[in-house]
Amino acid sequence: MGDEKNDHTELEEKTAFFNGDDIPDDKSGENSEFDEMFETLGDLGLYQLLVFIMANVLELSSTLSVMYFIFECADPGWKCASIECENSCVNSTLPNSPEGFCSTEDLSCVNRTFNPIYSSALTEWNLVCGDLWKAKTIISIFFAALGVGGIVAGQMSDTFGRRWSIFIAWFLLALFQTCLRFSPNYYVYCAIRFMTGLLAGGVFCIAPVLTLEWMSPKWRTLPSWRFSWQIGSMLVALLAYLCREWQVLTTAMGIITIPLFPLYYFFFPESPRWLIQKRRFDKAEYWIRKAFWFNRVAPKTDLRAYLEDIARTENKRQGRTVPYTYLDLFHNRKMSIWTVVLIYVAFSLSVSWYGINSSISSLTGNIYLNVAVSGIGALFMGLLATFVTRWIGRVKSFMLYISVTGCCHLVILAMNVTGGSRNHPMVVTYFALAALSIMSGAWCSAWMCFLELYPTLMRNISSGSANMAVRVGSVAAPFIFLLATFHSSVPFIIYATVSFSSGFLVLFLIPETKNKPLPEDLPSRHDKRNKQPVKRDVDQENC
């Protein structure tokens, strides 16, 4: 009997934090006061909408840098211009230049002629045959840098602010992306791609967090629709189609957003929640007043006194002065479970998404059209997901999208096993593109969990950990796809398995955050003994 009671108590503790035990529902907490202010601004006013659009346009340069991997080491096909005879063969027995011929025991390909339809890093440095691993290494280096960039930017933006962190990363990304064309050799090219990955990862980590912190609870699902990815997929396909030389393509991707720098310098805001946490009232008042002006509404009370009142309420509950770190993601058992599950979710989505994109050039149909169609489908599904997550919640919507994605993987798996993929290759293309599109909805739902489960000063840290998991998955994805050399169904067995397993883990272990206020505090380590949230103060120099 006692065990049953303890089990029941433990079950209640697992969901206590987001069932209201540790969330202040009254109007005395900072989060509720912010929500009231955003309601005064009009929930989704003109200013919040502009912040959302500007953040996605800013992300566009990072998306182009990522999606470039589809064309970066693409092989247009090649033939041997000359074959040398070795050992015992004689010149009269040399074959005609066979397409894709590398070498044998007696023959070796000396000079290669690539199909001039387009160029890439692969054609520039002859990364075929024995050097093919170098082409895969370029992509792995870039995605590894994305993960490192997310972690570094997450900590920096939580410490120094969202606005300047993302602006500096964006500017340097455009600079390095443009300089990529001047790479004199393979090794310099890899080094510059590492830097672009580092900076792009920082932009991806910060942008959705800053947007979220300008939204009211009613519209917090909107930042999860990162349409920069869908627009970027279509745009990179268009640019690759128009710019067949890789030097021209990388330059175009680098300079495309540079004219927007002055606009962003004057109009792109800092997070008001972060400014209040840092006691920077002048800046907080400046950006909030600008939002009121854009939305054509007036504050209902003295804004400066209102912000200082929030800070005083905060000070009364603050304890020791310890900054948040990645270790706080494992603050107690509940948060440890959430963190591990969500990291696995990010990894599983990344493996599936990047795995299919890695193989998109091998699908039946035109590569440029396939990339563009997947972007159009993802744009629609991402927009739909912003409303679905509002209607049925984050957890159920994720389970819906990831289950449909898993079913697409199962269909392709069945066709590979039965041999239907050879007779109907376009059907495989349709379901692969459908899986890419539907995963956009799963990404939206999962990202909302990452952003809504953690306090303000940990939000970028949680986003950085998710980015790192995504990059681990993106590095593993091409190698998982190589398992198709054993059997074409092996990758899709893995894709289906991780899809369904991540869905069930979220369904049973992640609490619903729909209509819950954004947390500003950590839950207590020992819920049974102390129901008070743990507060941490950071950087009180400007109090």
Side-chain angles (χ1 to χ4, degrees), residues 37-38 41 45-51 54 163 214 262-270 272 275 281-299 303 307:
M37 181 182 68
F38 286 124
L41 283 170
L46 175 62
Y47 194 74
Q48 293 99 309
L49 192 59
L50 285 175
V51 171
M54 290 177 72
R163 182 173 181 263
W214 273 99
L263 176 68
Y264 275 74
Y265 179 81
F266 290 105
F267 292 101
F268 197 62
E270 181 57 272
L275 289 169
F281 302 117
D282 290 337
K283 283 292 185 181
E285 183 179 5
Y286 171 79
W287 289 113
I288 293 172
R289 284 195 181 280
K290 181 170 286 192
F292 275 109
W293 183 86
F294 264 88
N295 291 352
R296 298 294 188 268
V297 294
L303 188 57
L307 299 178

Side-chain angles (χ1 to χ4, degrees), residues 430-449:
Y430 296 149
F431 276 97
L433 297 182
L436 288 176
S437 300
I438 297 168
M439 268 190 278
S440 177
W443 278 113
C444 290
S445 304
W447 219 255
M448 287 306 299
C449 293

Side-chain angles (χ1 to χ4, degrees), residues 226-527:
R226 300 165 76 176
F227 66 80
S228 61
W229 279 95
Q230 293 87 48
I231 299 296
S233 296
M234 293 182 281
L235 185 57
V236 77
L238 177 62
L239 290 176
Y241 179 77
L242 297 176
C243 308
R244 299 303 179 94
E245 298 293 324
W246 71 267
Q247 295 92 338
V248 180
L249 176 58
T250 55
T251 303
M253 292 190 303
I255 67 175
I256 194 168
T257 58
I258 288 180
L260 298 175
F261 284 168
L263 176 68
Y264 275 74
Y265 179 81
F266 290 105
F267 292 101
F268 197 62
E270 181 57 272
S271 163
R273 295 177 185 269
W274 182 87
L275 289 169
I276 294 301
Q277 289 276 6
K278 291 289 187 176
R279 312 298 185 262
R280 299 178 184 178
F281 302 117
D282 290 337
K283 283 292 185 181
E285 183 179 5
Y286 171 79
W287 289 113
I288 293 172
R289 284 195 181 280
K290 181 170 286 192
F292 275 109
W293 183 86
F294 264 88
N295 291 352
R296 298 294 188 268
V297 294
K300 294 181 179 179
T301 184
D302 180 66
L303 188 57
R304 179 58 180 258
Y306 177 86
L307 299 178
E308 291 179 351
D309 182 62
I310 292 175
R312 281 192 296 271
T313 303
E314 184 79 3
N315 270 333
K316 292 178 181 179
R317 297 183 295 161
Q318 285 175 346
R320 50 184 182 160
T321 57
V322 180
Y324 290 110
T325 67
Y326 281 94
L327 293 178
D328 287 303
L329 294 174
F330 305 92
H331 175 72
N332 61 12
R333 184 178 60 182
K334 290 186 298 185
M335 289 189 66
S336 298
I337 293 173
W338 301 343
T339 300
V340 170
V341 170
L342 292 176
I343 286 176
Y344 176 74
V345 166
F347 172 81
S348 64
L349 284 171
S350 177
V351 164
S352 300
W353 194 84
Y354 284 103
I356 295 178
N357 270 299
S358 296
S359 63
I360 203 167
S361 60
S362 64
L363 294 176
T364 303
N366 184 282
I367 182 176
Y368 305 105
L369 185 59
N370 287 343
V371 174
V373 168
S374 69
I376 294 172
L379 183 67
F380 171 76
M381 295 304 300
L383 177 60
L384 180 64
T386 62
F387 296 98
V388 173
T389 51
R390 287 182 60 196
W391 293 333
I392 65 175
R394 288 54 160 151
V395 172
K396 292 180 180 178
S397 62
F398 178 79
M399 186 63 185
L400 172 65
Y401 281 110
I402 202 66
S403 297
V404 177
T405 301
C407 290
C408 291
H409 296 323
L410 289 179
V411 171
I412 299 174
L413 171 62
M415 294 193 67
N416 286 333
V417 171
T418 61
S421 57
R422 291 190 296 271
N423 299 325
H424 306 283
M426 281 305 299
V427 176
V428 174
T429 300
Y430 296 149
F431 276 97
L433 297 182
L436 288 176
S437 300
I438 297 168
M439 268 190 278
S440 177
W443 278 113
C444 290
S445 304
W447 219 255
M448 287 306 299
C449 293
F450 266 110
L451 298 181
E452 292 182 334
L453 277 173
Y454 299 94
T456 296
L457 293 180
M458 284 184 63
R459 209 158 284 136
N460 264 317
I461 292 177
S462 66
S463 179
S465 65
N467 270 307
M468 188 62 193
V470 168
R471 302 318 153 201
V472 173
S474 63
V475 171
F479 298 100
I480 291 176
F481 184 74
L482 287 178
L483 295 176
T485 56
F486 298 101
H487 195 282
S488 58
S489 62
V490 174
F492 292 96
I493 292 175
I494 296 175
Y495 300 156
T497 300
V498 297
S499 296
F500 286 116
S501 60
S502 63
F504 282 110
L505 286 173
V506 168
L507 182 64
F508 291 110
L509 296 176
I510 299 299
E512 180 57 66
T513 59
K514 177 186 175 184
N515 295 329
K516 298 288 185 179
L518 286 177
E520 302 297 335
D521 315 327
L522 282 175
S524 60
R525 292 183 184 274
H526 306 289
D527 295 302

